[in-house]
Every structure is written in structure tokens, then in C-alpha cells.
Amino acid sequence: MLNQLPLSRLSGIRFPAIADGHGAMQLALQYQLEASQWWSPERLQGHQFEQLRALLGHAAATVPYYRRLFGEHGLQIPERIDAEFFRQIPISTRQAIQQAEQAIESGALPPEHGAMEFGKTSGSTGRAVRFARTAVTRTFWLAFALRDHLWHGRDFAGKLGAIRWYSRGVAEAPGGASEPNWGVIVAPLFATGPSCSLNVAATLAQQLDWLRREQPDYLVSFPSNLVALAGYAQAQGVELPGVREIRTIGETLGQTQRRQIEAAWQTKVVDIYTCEEAGYLALQCPVSGEYHVQAENVILEIVDEQGVPCPPGKIGQVLITSLHNFATPLIRYEVGDMAEFGEACGCGRGLPVIRRIHGRKRNRLQLPSGESLFPYLGEHGDIARATGVKVHQFQCVQHSLEEVELKLVLERPLDAAEQAAVSALMQRNLGHPFRVRFSFPAEIPRGPSGKYEDFVSLISG
Ligand SMILES: [Zn+2]
């Protein structure tokens, strides 16, 4: 499991290492995860249900939304949970969780789980879903992120590079930002090489210059951005700087995209499947390349429109039950992706296999200059701050090289002055003086992938 020795935090002791409290806890989790990945699916499910029993008891006692839901359906939590009982728990749609607002919060979070820290799905468009993180959910997030590094045998001495979303002003081109180590996931436990990051709002030319200068060993970015970068390098007739591995995050990686990225960089691509609300859902198998559900973190179901479990090979809605979030429990929550299970993996791990995920795809913003950009749509709450009007849903549609449409689901339509303020905001965010047209529909439907899309281009693929 470990290619290198952890850092020892005790003076004079180098080998075997004695980690500090945080390091020891993370290593203890890896020790268990190393074993549990090989358990049979039945044994894994037994332990999931044991953990679920604790979560359900807590939710029924302290979370108003679940107290009401279980009450309405006459659900009594049994001593032992089995699959039959689990499936009697009603599915919670994104909309139901959104409408629940504070009723999804526990009124009595165990103090040792730490303080609640609120995130909001930036599903930006999406109606925001309110969910909290705690010290416990953070601990598990770090553990599964580290498992991904260990599974894929990454050399921590190498240089890590990331081109991803940051707020305006952070890691901006041309220089980006640099750190002496790999950050919170790895650096507290292992000696690492440096890392560098660049805001994905950079143009493709700036990204390529940055890659040439920084020469990272490992590169992390969004599939849509990597495909655009590969196409740009090809069009310019220039070679992409070599990397040891590319890691994709944040969007669904399609088969065609994977092939394009692999061909352009002549290296393997490793994808992860996460969601903001529950962290790591699946990691790519280091042997077969299939996706293994992180069953120690989440119960992941795939169901058809009637809520019936889909057999391997049949596409359905993904439901997740996040096993350790006691602050805002998510139980049989429809996360908004479609996926299909695969057959057991040849590697011998008992962790369930997902063959394909159909989730978020992202279009790029096309500029009249012929360049394309990762669309920067601002931060959650920008429009509300500019106008004082609460935004329920948001979508930006590019109709032409001159015009974008803002679809806003609001408490009330914006007046002319408010529209002018939001137009100026969007022009700043998009980095080009597009004509901004407004529409105020009652609802914005999901895109073809099943996700709410915050940016749609009608002129790019
Ligand atoms: Zn496998």
C-alpha cells in the first residue's frame, strides 16, 4: 500500500515513523480501507448497514425532515437493517432537500463531530442544496483522496499541477500559484515535491505557456478543458509538455474525451467520481480502470424511474446515502447523475463496480476571436448581492458570438436598472462585452445528462 515511509513527528525517530495525531488517524483509516476493499460485497454491505443504523437513528431523533419523512411512512428503524428495509425509505429528490432548508439540519450534532460548516452545491444553476460538512466528513474526504493517490501509486516526490476553478484573483494567469508541497491531503503524512496551480479562466495559450514553464509530473483538470487544450495544441502544431499522468475531476469523462486526452498527452488518464454533497463516490480501479464505489463512504444505488434497482448494464438514477454526515444527513438522495453498474472487477476488490457515469458535461464559451474559455459565471450569490433579488435557478445560454441569454428563476423579474447591473456583472465575469438577454422562466429543466447545467452553448459541441 505505502510506497514511501510516512513522516515521523517524534524527535530522533525516523523508522518506523511515529506520526502525529492527525497522521496517525489517517494512517489508521488507510489500514482499515486496505483490508475492507477486499471484503465480499455481502460483508461490505453488512458493515454499511451497521453504520447506516447509527445514522438513521440519529436522523430520526434529531433531523426534522427525516423525523417527518419516517413518520409519514410509518417507518420504525429495526435492530438490524437489511436491503428490504433500506429500500422502503423514500427517495429524497434534490428539490425535496432544497425545500427542506433548515429542516435537514440536525438539532443535536454529536460535539465530537466538530462544528457545522456550510457548503452549497454550486450546481450553480441548480437550486442550491444546503449541506454541512463537519470535522468527521472532512476526515473521510481526506482519507478517500489519499486512497486515490495510494491506489495509483503516485510518486509524491514529483510535481503536482492543477488547472481548475478558483475565484477571480486566485492563481490567475500568467503566473498561477505555487506551493512547496502537495497540500492538505498528502503533505501532513508524507514528504512531497512542490505543487502549482492555474485558474481555469486562463486562455488556452496562457495554459500552454504555464505548462511549459512549470512542467508538472501530474496534471489535474476538467475533461472539457483538457480536450480544448489538446485541440488547441494540435491546431497550433505544437507539442504538449509531457506528464506522467493526467487526473480528471469535476465533470463526467466520456469515452471519446478520454481517448482524445490520452492520445494528445500519450499518457494514461485517471478519473474520479465525486459530488460536493458527499465527497468521493467512486475511484478508478488501478488494475481494470473501472470505477469502484467507495462503499466505506457511501451507499450508492442505481434505480429506474419506478425506484427499482437496475441490474448491471442498465442505466438509472444515482442515489447516494452519505454514511458519516450527521450534520445534514443525505439518505437515498437523488444526486442528479445517471449511471450503470458493471460486473464484479477482475482485481478481486469487493467494492461495487460502476461501468459508466452519465453526469455533468461542460460547454466552453466561444469568443469572436476564435478562442474559447472555460466560462466563469461568478460566485454563488453575486446576482442576489447586485440586485437584492433571491435567485432560485440560473443558466447562461450562449446563442451566438455576440449574445448570451441569462435564464433566471427569481422571486420576481428584474427591472431595467437591475438588468443593466446584472448585464455588467456577466460581461465582467465572461470577460467579453456580450449582449445579455434576459428571460424569467418558472423553472429550468435538467439537461440531457440529468444534471442542471449552468452554462449551455448552442454554438459549440
Ligand atoms: Zn478493480
Side-chain angles (χ1 to χ4, degrees):
M1 156 174 96
L2 299 181
N3 287 330
Q4 82 183 65
L5 209 59
L7 288 167
S8 187
R9 302 294 186 183
L10 200 72
S11 104
I13 304 301
R14 302 293 296 263
F15 171 72
I18 297 183
D20 61 9
H22 169 82
M25 178 173 64
Q26 284 297 330
L27 291 170
L29 283 170
Q30 293 302 325
Y31 179 81
Q32 293 175 69
L33 295 177
E34 173 61 25
S36 59
Q37 64 186 337
W38 305 106
W39 291 350
S40 68
E42 297 71 29
R43 186 171 175 200
L44 275 164
Q45 193 181 56
H47 286 287
Q48 284 181 317
F49 283 163
E50 203 180 328
Q51 174 58 32
L52 178 68
R53 172 79 181 65
L55 178 73
L56 290 179
H58 168 78
T62 76
V63 181
Y65 172 82
Y66 290 106
R67 193 184 307 139
R68 188 180 53 75
L69 189 74
F70 297 167
E72 279 172 6
H73 290 79
L75 288 177
Q76 300 283 342
I77 300 163
E79 270 307 304
R80 274 181 70 89
I81 308 268
D82 58 16
E84 195 189 338
F85 173 81
F86 180 54
R87 290 194 194 116
Q88 284 172 26
I89 301 172
I91 292 168
S92 287
T93 61
R94 194 183 171 85
Q95 197 177 0
I97 298 292
Q98 191 232 3
Q99 284 168 354
E101 299 198 338
Q102 275 86 345
I104 193 71
E105 284 173 35
S106 168
L109 180 66
E112 58 273 38
H113 283 231
M116 290 194 201
E117 198 182 287
F118 279 91
K120 272 193 171 181
T121 52
S122 68
S124 340
T125 49
R127 300 150 175 258
V129 169
R130 193 175 153 79
F131 65 95
R133 300 184 181 96
T134 64
V136 171
T137 62
R138 182 179 152 80
T139 296
F140 282 103
W141 173 72
L142 292 170
F144 289 95
L146 182 60
R147 179 191 241 182
D148 180 54
H149 286 310
L150 297 175
W151 270 15
H152 294 280
R154 293 187 188 116
D155 176 7
F156 298 146
K159 184 173 184 178
L160 182 67
I163 304 176
R164 59 195 302 177
W165 192 94
Y166 297 100
S167 294
R168 277 279 191 233
V170 178
E172 293 269 13
S178 296
E179 293 293 334
N181 60 51
W182 283 29
V184 293
I185 297 161
V186 184
L189 284 98
F190 298 97
T192 77
S195 65
C196 54
S197 48
L198 183 69
N199 195 312
V200 72
T203 65
L204 297 171
Q206 288 171 324
Q207 293 186 33
L208 194 54
D209 284 345
W210 178 84
L211 279 172
R212 285 209 188 96
R213 271 199 314 279
E214 294 289 345
Q215 303 276 345
D217 296 293
Y218 297 99
L219 176 62
V220 182
S221 194
F222 305 112
S224 63
N225 188 59
L226 291 161
V227 167
L229 198 48
Y232 175 80
Q234 196 183 22
Q236 301 289 311
V238 296
E239 245 179 67
L240 290 161
V243 292
R244 288 165 70 169
E245 182 199 83
I246 289 189
R247 201 143 41 99
T248 49
I249 53 164
E251 302 164 4
T252 303
L253 176 69
Q255 280 307 317
T256 313
Q257 288 177 311
R258 184 187 287 273
R259 278 194 294 272
Q260 283 172 316
I261 299 167
E262 284 179 343
W265 266 274
Q266 293 290 305
T267 191
K268 74 169 172 170
V269 172
V270 177
D271 190 33
I272 55 170
Y273 177 33
T274 60
C275 72
E276 287 172 280
E277 301 93 317
Y280 284 75
L281 304 180
L283 298 177
Q284 241 189 276
C285 176
V287 179
S288 71
E290 304 234 54
Y291 293 85
H292 279 297
V293 174
Q294 300 302 289
E296 302 93 337
N297 189 43
V298 67
I299 301 177
L300 189 146
E301 301 170 85
I302 300 176
V303 298
D304 68 14
E305 278 163 19
Q306 280 71 49
V308 177
C310 293
K314 187 175 174 200
I315 297 173
Q317 280 283 348
V318 175
L319 307 179
I320 58 166
T321 299
S322 180
L323 289 170
H324 310 112
N325 184 345
F326 279 49
T328 48
L330 294 172
I331 299 165
R332 305 200 80 207
Y333 165 65
E334 199 185 86
V335 74
D337 295 324
M338 308 284 284
E340 59 182 275
F341 280 127
E343 303 291 348
C345 185
C347 72
R349 288 179 176 80
L351 300 171
V353 170
I354 301 179
R355 217 179 80 193
R356 263 195 299 176
I357 303 154
H358 311 255
R360 184 187 299 278
K361 293 258 164 50
R362 198 157 350 216
N363 292 156
R364 288 176 72 82
L365 179 72
Q366 303 291 321
L367 300 180
S369 63
E371 282 180 295
S372 71
L373 291 175
F374 185 96
Y376 180 80
L377 299 167
E379 312 226 11
H380 192 88
D382 277 356
I383 294 178
R385 275 190 291 278
T387 61
V389 183
K390 194 173 167 190
V391 181
H392 298 300
Q393 273 185 288
F394 165 103
Q395 186 177 60
C396 178
V397 181
Q398 182 172 22
H399 287 276
S400 69
L401 293 173
E402 292 80 37
E403 186 180 67
V404 298
E405 177 186 1
L406 268 195
K407 294 184 178 178
L408 297 170
V409 181
L410 303 167
E411 290 165 318
R412 61 163 176 81
L414 302 179
D415 65 27
E418 290 161 346
Q419 291 190 19
V422 175
S423 288
L425 175 70
M426 283 312 293
Q427 289 168 344
R428 263 201 316 280
N429 283 340
L430 296 174
H432 183 80
F434 287 103
R435 198 160 64 237
V436 181
R437 156 168 34 130
F438 287 85
S439 63
F440 304 104
E443 197 185 340
I444 298 170
R446 290 168 189 266
S449 69
K451 278 275 193 203
Y452 293 102
E453 302 295 344
D454 51 12
F455 179 79
V456 175
S457 172
L458 299 179
I459 59 173
S460 73

